[in-house]
């Protein structure tokens, strides 16, 4: 084999190696990004649930907690969600339909609104309510929502993504 053929073969081998390394880097970065998206999505869903549960947690009412938890449990990725009072007592739990496998947890505090409901610009003095202190209260943590989600759906997407990237390279 001539020197020229050896150089061409060496350059091609280096290029093939670089393409393989780049493909692996792209796959790994895509997987990390997908986990980050899942984590953000699960955190946002848990936060939204916590904001819906202010009055049910204040009332510590199972009848008020059940409907939002049952609706939340319809999420295909949810494994379990629990609502705890500020002192740590479990107020309610609901199992979801999420598949077993890798799990991600998310939690959010249930906080009071720190303001009276309605328009606070209205003068409440004629009704015997001192409106001077409205808006000066601070939010109070009254509970916590803890949710566990399955990443099985993302694992399937990751497997297809890996295969597609490796086939393309």
């Amino acid at each position: 084999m001539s020197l020229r053929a050896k150089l061409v073969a060496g350059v091609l081998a280096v290029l093939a190696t670089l393409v393989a390394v780049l493909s692996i880097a792209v796959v790994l970065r895509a997987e990390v990004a997908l986990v980050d998206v899942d984590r953000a999505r699960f955190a946002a869903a848990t936060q939204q649930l916590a904001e819906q549960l202010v009055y049910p947690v204040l009332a510590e009412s199972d009848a008020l907690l059940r409907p939002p938890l049952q609706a939340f449990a319809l999420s295909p990725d949810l494994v379990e969600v629990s609502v705890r009072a500020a002192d740590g007592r479990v107020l309610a739990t609901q199992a979801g339909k999420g598949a077993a496998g890798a799990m991600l947890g998310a939690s959010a505090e249930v906080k009071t609104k720190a303001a009276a409901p309605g328009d606070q610009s209205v003068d409440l003095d004629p009704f015997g309510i001192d409106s001077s202190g409205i808006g000066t209260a601070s939010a109070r943590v009254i509970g916590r929502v803890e949710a566990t989600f399955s990443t099985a759906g993302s694992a399937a997407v990751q497997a297809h993504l890996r295969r597609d990237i490796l086939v393309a390279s």
Side-chain angles (χ1 to χ4, degrees):
M1 191 165 16
S2 71
L3 182 62
R4 185 177 192 177
K6 288 180 183 179
L7 282 174
V8 169
V11 168
L12 288 177
V14 168
L15 287 175
T17 303
L18 288 175
V19 167
V21 168
L22 182 61
S23 297
I24 291 170
V26 167
V27 167
L28 292 176
R29 178 60 191 124
E31 288 179 1
V32 168
L34 196 54
V35 169
D36 289 344
V37 166
D38 274 348
R39 187 172 285 119
R41 183 170 57 99
F42 298 152
T46 305
Q47 183 62 42
Q48 286 176 343
L49 179 64
E51 290 171 4
Q52 291 176 359
L53 295 179
V54 174
Y55 295 117
V57 170
L58 272 173
E60 295 186 3
S61 168
D62 189 57
L64 293 175
L65 285 166
R66 277 291 145 220
L69 290 181
Q70 288 171 343
F72 192 70
L74 296 176
S75 170
D77 298 320
L78 181 72
V79 175
E80 183 181 43
V81 61
S82 65
V83 180
R84 296 181 178 275
D87 61 5
R89 287 178 298 117
V90 175
L91 298 176
T93 60
Q94 179 73 42
K97 299 177 182 177
M103 309 280 184
L104 278 178
S107 66
E109 293 178 334
V110 180
K111 296 180 181 179
T112 59
K113 303 290 185 208
D119 185 6
Q120 295 163 6
S121 64
V122 176
D123 186 16
L124 299 176
D125 291 332
F127 302 102
I129 299 172
D130 181 17
S131 59
S132 62
I134 292 180
T136 60
S138 59
R140 190 176 58 128
V141 176
I142 57 171
R144 174 171 288 286
V145 174
E146 297 170 346
T148 304
F149 295 91
S150 170
T151 60
S154 295
V157 170
Q158 287 174 340
H160 288 295
L161 183 65
R162 266 185 248 127
R163 181 183 49 99
D164 291 345
I165 290 175
L166 293 177
V167 166
S169 61

